[in-house]
Amino acid sequence: AVVSTQSTGSKGKRDDLEKLKDFLLEHKPHVVGICAAGRAMVYQREIQELVTALEQQHQIDPIAIEMVDHTLARLYEKSSRAKVEFSAYTPAQHMAGSIARRLRDPLIEFSQLCNFTNDIIALPWGLLKRFTGVERLRQALHEEFITRVNEVGV
């Protein structure tokens, strides 16, 4: 579920939290992922209060609230892969899907960037990235992902 963080006024926020409450009660997720950008800490506190209230009323089991870096989700949102996989979805829903997949299995979500368009290079890999040649970085990242996937298995 995508809950808007752009709602203005207390009515919009109440509506969004009510939608989230309905989603939590209906689907009973194990984790809620929050895109760690902008006012994420405020939203985390509000969502945690909602989840705690539902837990205390014994309406749901405990749910983890996780902050997730938005860099990978933003990259996915703008990718052609997102448009093919979820053509009817909005950009915010593309990001939510990427965040959910990252929470479920980060190795798979990151390794899917090792593709012909070299999306993996677009991620920030630290301050020294600009001193490493693009081809050398791409090759090293591809080798590392191959190694990790082989260690974990498919």
Side-chain angles (χ1 to χ4, degrees), residues 1 11 16 21 23 25 43 58 89 118 125 136-137 141:
K11 180 169 177 13
D16 286 345
K21 178 182 175 183
F23 179 86
L25 291 172
Y43 301 124
H58 303 290
Y89 289 10
N118 292 317
W125 291 104
R136 183 174 175 201
L137 177 62
L141 289 169

Side-chain angles (χ1 to χ4, degrees), residues 3-149:
V3 176
S4 172
T5 58
Q6 304 300 318
S7 295
T8 55
S10 60
K11 180 169 177 13
K13 184 185 287 188
R14 277 196 312 270
D15 290 347
D16 286 345
L17 288 174
E18 192 61 35
K19 287 178 192 175
L20 180 60
K21 178 182 175 183
D22 293 343
F23 179 86
L24 295 174
L25 291 172
E26 181 180 344
H27 297 284
K28 303 196 183 313
H30 298 284
V31 65
V32 172
I34 300 172
C35 182
R39 297 175 34 98
M41 296 300 287
V42 173
Y43 301 124
Q44 181 186 26
R45 186 177 59 248
E46 292 169 351
I47 292 169
Q48 185 63 59
E49 289 170 3
L50 171 66
V51 167
T52 300
L54 292 173
E55 288 171 358
Q56 289 174 346
Q57 297 167 5
H58 303 290
Q59 293 182 329
I60 60 172
D61 291 330
I63 298 174
I65 309 294
E66 298 289 335
M67 299 290 281
V68 182
D69 179 61
H70 71 287
T71 309
L72 178 60
R74 288 246 183 251
L75 184 60
Y76 176 76
E77 168 202 8
K78 296 174 181 163
S79 73
S80 58
R81 192 174 116 231
K83 292 169 184 67
V84 170
E85 289 179 345
F86 302 109
S87 60
Y89 289 10
T90 66
Q93 290 170 320
H94 290 159
M95 286 183 64
S98 177
I99 288 171
R101 290 191 302 207
R102 182 175 177 177
L103 285 170
R104 188 170 187 192
D105 193 336
L107 181 60
I108 289 176
E109 189 63 11
F110 276 97
S111 65
Q112 291 180 16
L113 296 176
C114 295
N115 53 27
F116 292 112
T117 57
N118 292 317
D119 292 334
I120 194 77
I121 301 298
L123 291 175
W125 291 104
L127 298 174
L128 298 177
K129 175 184 171 183
R130 62 186 170 152
F131 298 113
T132 305
V134 172
E135 185 56 32
R136 183 174 175 201
L137 177 62
R138 186 199 61 77
Q139 183 64 32
L141 289 169
H142 280 237
E143 288 175 8
E144 189 61 33
F145 275 104
I146 289 168
T147 301
R148 295 295 148 234
V149 169

